[in-house]
Amino acid sequence: MAVPNPYQYQYQQYQQQQVFTAPPEKLLLMLYDGAIRFCNQAKKAIGEGNNEEANRCLIKVQNIIRELMETLDEDYEISKSLNPLYDYFYGRIVEANVHKNCASIDEVLGFLVELRQTWAEAIVLIKGVRKP
């Protein structure tokens, strides 16, 4: 039986506080970071034959993609383009989970990395424009 880390609770509280106090643009990047991290962990688990861990990680990716879909602001034209793209990602991750297919994960991962970079650059540009 593993000995509980006495600082684990404090760390979890810190992580929750980070999420609760983060501005929307930081939350967006955090979601992308999480999806990217869990895709990589799932690929590693598949490579090691650990299907239970791969499943856990891919479910987390699915949940993050669903969150990205649910938080789209339909008042913006970009949201109308992102929604079907996220839907496609979701389907590919489900497929990857069912078949333990790293190629599907790699496909989605490539898009996630590119989108995360694009959003990060857009945030820098917007914040630069808003500065007095």
Side-chain angles (χ1 to χ4, degrees), residues 33-102:
D33 289 341
I36 291 165
R37 182 176 63 252
F38 290 122
C39 279
N40 285 320
Q41 289 175 3
K43 286 175 46 179
K44 182 176 185 252
I46 290 169
E48 294 170 351
N50 188 344
N51 289 342
E52 186 176 322
E53 177 65 8
N55 177 63
R56 185 188 70 77
C57 292
L58 291 171
I59 292 293
K60 288 188 178 218
V61 176
Q62 289 171 246
N63 291 339
I64 291 170
I65 293 170
R66 194 174 5 215
E67 181 69 19
L68 288 168
M69 292 172 78
E70 290 172 1
T71 57
L72 284 173
D73 185 342
E74 295 296 328
D75 291 339
Y76 296 98
E77 192 63 36
I78 187 81
S79 296
K80 295 173 185 160
S81 299
L82 285 172
N83 196 38
L85 190 59
Y86 289 153
D87 188 51
Y88 176 74
F89 295 168
Y90 188 88
R92 295 294 284 160
I93 292 299
V94 168
E95 179 182 318
N97 201 2
V98 169
H99 301 290
K100 301 302 182 253
N101 179 353
C102 285

Side-chain angles (χ1 to χ4, degrees), residues 112-124:
L112 291 172
V113 168
E114 190 174 325
L115 282 167
R116 194 246 183 245
Q117 181 179 345
T118 301
W119 280 116
E121 290 171 7
I123 290 165
V124 168

